[in-house]
Amino acid sequence: MIFVMSLNELKKKLLIIYHDFLNVFNREKITQLSLHQSYNHKIELKDESQSSRSQLYFMLSYKLQKIKKYLKKNLKKKFITLSKASFASLILFVEKKDDSLCFCMNYQKLNALIKRNHYSILLINEVLTQIQDSKYLTQLNIIIMFNKLCMSSESEDLTTFITFFNVYKYKIMLFELINELAFFQHYINNVLFNYLHKFCQTYLNDIFIYSKILKEHKTHVKEVLNKLHEADLQINIDKCEFKIQKISFLELLIFINNLQMNS
């Protein structure tokens, strides 16, 4: 869960030189539905004729109440809306380590029909190769809220899910669908295209900014923050590291000119 912090709290955590970009760290904006754009997510099927409507199954009262709460919250945000599609997926509950229940969609049948997106995600060794000759390193972490990426209008019906209350569809991109991580990577790379392999690398929602000179590094970070502002993307200040010599990433400790296992 991402907790909203006050402006004063944010100013204390963020270096003064980046205070012009406080809005990029504003967590209140992550719950807002973005406008449709050129990067609306479109689902392409191998064979549309195979799509079908799943059947409801018995569900205990406390689960129904959890569903109702979810529906109310997301209808209010306009992340979901009523659907008239002839096909629909089911809701599932997954038990977490703390015995609480995680609400998710069972898009197994839909995923089997979706054409694969083969856009490549950067390998960690490619990230390290770019970083190793630098003296200054900053890591930014984008809050992955797929409401920043809308479903294309012709694909919304494919996200339809059925409940005991009604039938709904999503207006935003979802984790449960295949291709979403590749699509998100493509989107982030497009946002930061001018800076990639110059002083910036991305790995899904992590952004690495690297420089040899401190003055240049501050400028590079500002340029990246400005691009994120233009794209209306938000950064998690609690997962950011500025002007550092090492970072922890994917079970690795990444040092300038070195690499160790993070044990």
Side-chain angles (χ1 to χ4, degrees):
M1 181 180 292
I2 305 294
F3 295 98
V4 176
M5 65 176 65
S6 68
L7 182 61
N8 287 334
E9 288 176 312
L10 182 55
K11 284 182 176 180
K12 289 177 183 177
K13 289 195 170 192
L14 187 62
L15 297 173
I16 293 177
I17 59 171
Y18 303 128
H19 278 195
D20 286 344
F21 302 96
L22 286 170
N23 60 322
V24 179
F25 299 86
N26 179 6
R27 295 174 179 177
E28 290 183 357
K29 297 184 71 176
I30 64 177
T31 61
Q32 299 171 6
L33 180 67
S34 291
L35 299 174
H36 283 280
Q37 53 182 306
S38 60
Y39 260 78
N40 288 345
H41 183 52
K42 183 177 181 180
I43 300 174
E44 295 185 4
L45 299 184
K46 302 171 189 174
D47 184 358
E48 289 190 38
S49 65
Q50 294 184 34
S51 56
S52 61
R53 180 179 287 247
S54 298
Q55 297 299 313
L56 288 170
Y57 59 94
F58 173 75
M59 197 170 288
L60 295 173
S61 177
Y62 77 98
K63 289 185 177 180
L64 291 173
Q65 294 308 311
K66 191 175 183 72
I67 291 172
K68 183 184 285 187
K69 183 178 179 181
Y70 177 89
L71 295 174
K72 284 183 176 179
K73 180 175 72 173
N74 286 279
L75 283 167
K76 184 177 181 180
K77 293 178 182 177
K78 299 182 180 179
F79 289 180
I80 61 174
T81 187
L82 291 174
S83 175
K84 295 181 180 179
S86 58
F87 44 83
S89 298
L90 280 175
I91 290 170
L92 288 180
F93 284 96
V94 179
E95 190 171 315
K96 299 165 83 172
K97 290 182 179 179
D98 60 1
D99 294 329
S100 63
L101 293 175
C102 178
F103 179 95
C104 61
M105 300 300 155
N106 182 7
Y107 285 127
Q108 186 175 1
K109 291 181 180 179
L110 176 61
N111 282 333
L113 299 175
I114 296 176
K115 293 179 181 178
R116 293 277 178 173
N117 182 332
H118 296 290
Y119 186 85
S120 61
I121 295 175
L122 198 66
L123 297 175
I124 183 60
N125 63 323
E126 295 180 62
V127 176
L128 298 175
T129 300
Q130 296 293 327
I131 291 174
Q132 63 182 0
D133 293 327
S134 304
K135 289 187 65 176
Y136 301 97
L137 180 64
T138 286
Q139 180 183 14
L140 303 178
N141 181 269
I142 299 172
I143 301 173
I144 295 190
M145 299 298 288
F146 283 164
N147 53 292
K148 295 300 179 182
L149 294 170
C150 296
M151 298 299 301
S152 65
S153 55
E154 61 265 39
S155 294
E156 286 180 1
D157 278 351
L158 293 172
T159 68
T160 296
F161 62 98
I162 187 170
T163 75
F164 281 95
F165 304 103
N166 216 321
V167 182
Y168 304 88
K169 62 183 178 182
Y170 280 95
K171 300 180 73 65
I172 58 173
M173 201 167 84
L174 299 168
F175 261 129
E176 289 91 345
L177 296 173
I178 64 168
N179 296 334
E180 306 311 80
L181 291 181
F183 186 84
F184 187 80
Q185 182 72 74
H186 191 183
Y187 171 67
I188 294 301
N189 285 352
N190 184 66
V191 170
L192 298 174
F193 178 78
N194 290 337
Y195 308 142
L196 293 181
H197 301 290
K198 290 176 63 178
F199 56 80
C200 174
Q201 290 290 0
T202 65
Y203 186 87
L204 297 176
N205 63 322
D206 283 296
I207 300 172
F208 303 95
I209 305 165
Y210 48 90
S211 316
K212 293 182 179 180
I213 301 171
L214 180 57
K215 184 177 180 180
E216 283 184 349
H217 188 68
K218 293 175 181 178
T219 300
H220 292 161
V221 173
K222 287 181 179 180
E223 288 177 333
V224 170
L225 289 174
N226 186 57
K227 283 294 182 182
L228 296 175
H229 163 67
E230 291 176 358
D232 196 27
L233 289 167
Q234 274 67 52
I235 296 295
N236 186 353
I237 185 66
D238 293 327
K239 292 186 177 181
C240 292
E241 299 281 354
F242 293 89
K243 201 179 65 177
I244 52 174
Q245 299 297 306
K246 68 175 182 179
I247 56 174
S248 178
F249 178 66
L250 295 180
E251 303 301 322
L252 298 171
L253 273 178
I254 301 175
F255 293 81
I256 298 296
N257 296 325
N258 200 0
L259 175 67
Q260 296 179 13
M261 291 303 297
N262 186 5
S263 56

